[in-house]
Amino acid sequence: MKCFNAYENEDMTKITGETLRPGGFKLTEKGIQFCKISSKDYVLDLGCGQGATVNYLFKKHNINAIGIDPSVKLIKIAKEKYGHKQFFIGDGNNIPFQNNSFNCVFAECTLSLMDNLECTLKQVYRVLKDEGWFIITDVYAQNPNEVNLLSQFSFNSCIRNLHNLEKLQEKLKILGFDIIFSEDYSIFLKELFVKIGFTYGTMGMFWNTTTQGCIDGYEFQKALKPCKPGYFMMVARKN
Ligand SMILES: C[S@@+](CC[C@H](N)C(=O)[O-])C[C@H]1O[C@@H](n2cnc3c(N)ncnc32)[C@H](O)[C@@H]1O
């Protein structure tokens, strides 16, 4: 049981803004352009948080998307901000939609939070139409040999579950996805860390604040550093 959901904390929103991830909408836009997502497409935002991407897709591109997230608090915020129709409580381990429903699934900084990654990837494959796009942005370990210590820090944040990029790609391929591209965008994570440094003084203090003392933020930062956290965008396609 994880003791604290960092994304429900207002301190997190103050740092990241309405998008609870590094880079804001820059990679969302890149995904839309690259995959040529249009208003004819059905789009799912898996782990939609406060609903910022669903709103962006509609406002900027007239794309009707649905967002799911297990957090009652975040779905309530999304509904209050952007309307009730397109947001649902839902979990990546059991996506509440029929097979072959979507042309595109976004997972923006959410796969790293899944208790059972393989199960979630299977679920995404199931709800995508043939040749549907899977647009992933998330944190990863540039030094994956060092990640073992992170799991002892029990709080709900993507940063304690950094992906191993090679393993993620292998899993996707085994399930029947083609990897169309995978690019490094660690610069966005770096920018976020710099902003945190200016606001909180140290990363340790930030972790202490956003987890409300649920973990020792300084010990966590000590364990995190050798993993060399980075950020990536990957586009996969159901084959
Ligand atoms: C880093 S936030 C990103 C939120 C949103 N995608 C954004 O970028 O603004 C991670 C989100 O994943 C959600 N999440 C955690 N576990 C999940 C699960 N099992 N299935 C779906 N979403 C989950 C969290 O509630 C949180 O909203």
Side-chain angles (χ1 to χ4, degrees):
M1 180 73 180
K2 299 185 188 84
C3 71
F4 198 82
N5 185 345
Y7 302 105
E8 293 182 345
N9 187 322
E10 281 162 22
D11 287 289
M12 185 63 86
T13 313
K14 276 186 208 148
I15 283 291
T16 61
E18 55 176 354
T19 56
L20 301 170
R21 60 178 181 265
F25 294 115
K26 293 187 193 99
L27 298 180
T28 312
E29 189 57 42
K30 186 177 166 80
I32 295 166
Q33 299 303 334
F34 182 86
C35 304
K36 299 190 171 56
I37 308 299
S38 78
S39 56
K40 290 185 218 120
D41 292 322
Y42 295 96
V43 177
L44 173 67
D45 184 13
L46 174 61
C48 64
Q50 302 179 358
T53 289
V54 169
N55 180 56
Y56 180 86
L57 290 167
F58 184 66
K59 281 273 148 67
K60 192 99 199 284
H61 296 281
N62 206 25
I63 296 168
N64 278 304
I66 286 172
I68 64 167
D69 199 290
S71 164
V72 173
K73 184 171 176 181
L74 295 176
I75 287 292
K76 185 168 179 276
I77 294 172
K79 285 183 172 186
E80 282 168 2
K81 274 173 122 173
Y82 306 121
H84 282 244
K85 279 190 303 205
Q86 63 275 49
F87 298 105
F88 300 92
I89 299 289
D91 192 309
N93 291 331
N94 188 12
I95 299 178
F97 298 105
Q98 292 183 352
N99 299 355
N100 309 310
S101 296
F102 297 99
N103 303 89
C104 175
V105 174
F106 278 91
E108 296 179 308
C109 213
T110 57
L111 282 188
S112 48
L113 284 153
M114 301 298 157
D115 293 332
N116 186 339
L117 179 60
E118 274 178 44
C119 172
T120 300
L121 297 179
K122 278 185 193 158
Q123 287 282 306
V124 172
Y125 190 87
R126 179 183 69 72
V127 298
L128 272 174
K129 297 181 186 209
D130 287 345
E131 303 199 339
W133 298 101
F134 187 18
I135 300 174
I136 305 163
T137 50
D138 219 332
V139 287
Y140 77 106
Q142 298 179 70
N143 193 358
N145 297 330
E146 297 290 334
V147 297
N148 292 341
L149 282 180
L150 296 182
S151 55
Q152 72 188 0
F153 296 90
S154 177
F155 71 118
N156 199 357
S157 164
C158 52
I159 202 80
R160 68 177 277 284
N161 201 9
L162 301 168
H163 287 288
N164 177 323
L165 268 193
E166 270 180 34
K167 287 197 176 149
L168 176 61
Q169 293 193 5
E170 262 169 43
K171 285 189 175 120
L172 286 162
K173 284 183 198 160
I174 288 169
L175 287 174
F177 285 99
D178 293 326
I179 310 296
I180 308 299
F181 80 78
S182 178
E183 288 175 358
D184 181 84
Y185 285 97
S186 299
I187 182 69
F188 293 141
L189 190 62
K190 210 169 170 185
E191 282 170 8
L192 192 62
F193 285 169
V194 168
K195 192 170 173 194
I196 290 171
F198 277 120
T199 312
Y200 288 87
T202 62
M203 288 302 298
M205 180 56 80
F206 173 71
W207 300 123
N208 275 344
T209 307
T210 51
T211 63
Q212 293 186 345
C214 158
I215 58 158
D216 181 332
Y218 294 96
E219 285 300 314
F220 178 67
Q221 185 59 23
K222 223 195 279 175
L224 181 65
K225 210 171 166 198
C227 307
K228 290 190 83 189
Y231 203 67
F232 71 93
M233 175 176 189
M234 195 183 290
V235 172
R237 197 166 201 187
K238 179 172 175 174
N239 66 25

